[in-house]
Amino acid sequence: MISTQDLAKLADQICPMHVILDSAGNIVSAGPTLKKLRPDQPWDGAPFFDYFDVSRPRWVHSVEDLLKTAGSKLHMKLRTDPQTGLKGVLAPLPSGEGAFVNLSFGISVLEAVQDYDLTSADFSPTDLTIEMLYLVEAKSAAMEASRQLNSRLQGAKIAAEEQAFTDTLTGLKNRRAMDHVLGRLVKSGRDFALMHVDLDFFKQVNDTMGHAAGDAVLQHVAQVMVECTRQSDTTVRVGGDEFVLVLDSMTDRPTLQKIATRLIARLEEPIPFEDKLCHISGSAGTSVSTDFEKVDVAVMLHQADVALYASKNAGRAQHFFYDPSMEETDGPIGAAPVERVNQS
């Protein structure tokens, strides 16, 4: 007759979720997976009911009752947290002294695997739990692959959208982005100003020093414009050497004049290129949304453009706010230019 010790060794391999009980209901042996559920507590010699609470059959309240359930399905849970649900079946030992209880997690196997960090090595090779774990791993792998693919697609979408709204040479927003920003501002009802900036003497740089120098100048100008505006503002290259500053919630004219003065001064600073210096300046014109009862973006852009060319006609390197008289004259009648900086 097989000894209890040999039976325990055999059970450890073929059903690692088990307990062997003596006739008094004390645990003689517990399977290795079961011990993992409470690794810091002593199993050998402990009463069965110190670890397990049997809920069905409902009449099981003692060791004598438990031994009468041979062949019937047992529903139980661990007494201490986490109170993992278990299922089992009891079989009397051949000696008649005690019983063998084979246990499983039942439908709570996934929660148990997560709670106790179990793996396929903790179950019998023929246990259906192994198949379930393989399916879960395959599903997890598929979901992770799907998540990564979605992340890459989302990243590609964002990159494509960003590229569609970005001027490739300067990294500034382009006209398409400006239309989007202006539409959002008008819809939100926020006030704003449009400052149209055009570079002076840029053509001479391109003609005398080459397009590489011109590109370097445009990139430098883009950096200057970003530095002269706030993070909430939008700096746009609308084409060639023309730029538009969208100044969000900024309509105070003295403040706008200071921004223009600072920007014009920075643009007149010589720009190094290879062993030479590039000299440009900038002219600017501004339109303010508070001049409108109902904001019309197209009209505002036109007004900023009119004010810009009034600045150029007045001698360049200047800034004017739009005035209706500018529509009827070549000069900035009634407009007050900012202080003139040195013109190159």
Side-chain angles (χ1 to χ4, degrees), residues 91-102:
L93 294 179
S95 64
E97 297 293 325
F100 183 96
V101 183
N102 189 22

Side-chain angles (χ1 to χ4, degrees), residues 135-151:
L135 289 173
V136 170
E137 290 175 1
K139 179 182 177 181
S140 298
M143 291 182 67
E144 176 61 18
S146 176
R147 186 194 66 79
Q148 292 181 2
L149 177 60
N150 287 335
S151 179

Side-chain angles (χ1 to χ4, degrees), residues 162-227:
E162 184 66 22
Q163 186 175 12
F165 286 107
T166 303
D167 176 63
T168 55
L169 176 63
T170 62
L172 299 177
K173 299 302 182 183
N174 59 19
R175 185 180 291 274
R176 181 179 180 185
M178 180 183 71
D179 292 340
H180 178 75
V181 170
L182 291 176
R184 190 173 64 226
L185 285 174
V186 172
K187 186 176 181 179
S188 69
R190 293 204 303 274
D191 292 327
F192 61 96
L194 293 181
M195 186 178 295
H196 192 175
V197 182
D198 186 86
L199 302 184
D200 305 318
F201 313 113
F202 178 73
K203 184 175 185 300
Q204 288 90 318
V205 172
N206 263 338
D207 291 345
T208 60
M209 301 179 65
H211 289 286
D215 289 348
V217 167
L218 291 173
Q219 290 168 343
H220 174 81
V221 167
Q223 182 62 35
V224 167
M225 290 187 173
V226 170
E227 292 171 358

Side-chain angles (χ1 to χ4, degrees), residues 270-296:
I271 303 169
F273 176 73
E274 296 180 347
D275 58 346
K276 299 178 182 179
L277 293 176
C278 303
H279 296 276
I280 62 167
S281 63
S283 299
T286 298
S287 175
V288 183
S289 67
T290 50
D291 290 343
F292 293 78
E293 289 186 9
K294 182 177 180 181
V295 176
D296 187 320

